[in-house]
Amino acid sequence: NDYFEAGLDLLAEGGVQAQTIANLCERLAITKGSFYHHFSSLGDFRAQLLGYWEAAQQAALEAGSASSADWVAPTHNPVEAAVRAWAQSDEAAAAAQGRVDALRLKAVTKDLRAAGVPTDRARALAGLGLAVLTGVQSGGPAWDRKARKALTDEFQSAVAAAGAKAKPAARKPKA
């Protein structure tokens, strides 16, 4: 766990190139021998790191802490942004990011469907949320916080409106 948290911190601070065995050992105050006791190589570490990150994202969705529109946050998340950047040049990172995005889309669509939003509209809103998240993260911390917040507030308003509009329709008695 400490290895992976340190790896995510390094990734967020300096990208994948900051993830070196030397940097990990320095961050954790361990020897290279200790690193190699747990991992066969830097590649092995990175593969396990992606699994750790993916599992954490899945657990957050399953716990409901990132369901509905809540995962589209107005703040820049350096780890999310760094994983997305890593995914641009690494097949394994891209696959992990793709699986996490698919889980997010499924969770939001499911929540919206449960609120009575039609399937096509629920899928469209989920996709819009993912596009907002991607834009907010790729914009980086330099992107004006008010602009990020306005964008995510608009998305969350659209989700709330879709849910409110669907509720009366869901309650109509059948003739």
Side-chain angles (χ1 to χ4, degrees):
N1 219 2
D2 289 344
Y3 282 96
F4 300 134
E5 289 300 322
L8 290 173
D9 288 345
L10 287 169
L11 182 66
E13 293 165 12
V16 72
Q17 61 274 15
Q19 279 184 347
T20 64
I21 294 170
N23 286 347
L24 283 163
C25 290
E26 182 180 334
R27 178 69 53 104
L28 294 167
I30 60 167
T31 64
K32 287 184 181 182
S34 179
F35 175 87
Y36 283 112
H37 176 74
H38 296 284
F39 308 100
S40 63
S41 65
L42 184 58
D44 177 38
F45 168 77
R46 287 179 175 164
Q48 289 187 48
L49 175 70
L50 285 169
Y52 173 83
W53 176 80
E54 187 177 344
Q57 301 306 303
Q58 183 173 359
L61 285 166
E62 288 172 356
S65 63
S67 65
S68 191
D70 296 340
W71 54 267
V72 180
T75 57
H76 175 68
N77 179 326
V79 172
E80 177 83 25
V83 171
R84 287 192 180 282
W86 185 13
Q88 295 300 308
S89 62
D90 183 272
E91 197 173 295
Q97 183 68 70
R99 287 187 298 272
V100 167
D101 287 345
L103 288 170
R104 289 171 172 160
L105 290 170
K106 183 178 178 182
V108 173
T109 301
K110 181 181 175 185
D111 286 353
L112 290 169
R113 289 291 302 128
V117 176
T119 302
D120 289 347
R121 177 87 171 131
R123 286 183 183 145
L125 283 169
L128 178 61
L130 184 59
V132 170
L133 172 70
T134 302
V136 165
Q137 297 312 317
S138 66
W143 196 14
D144 178 63
R145 178 165 167 60
K146 286 182 182 179
R148 288 193 312 257
K149 182 158 177 21
L151 188 62
T152 56
D153 285 352
E154 254 335 286
F155 168 70
Q156 292 184 356
S157 292
V159 168
K165 182 178 177 184
K167 287 191 188 219
R171 289 189 213 138
K172 283 185 182 177
K174 292 185 179 183

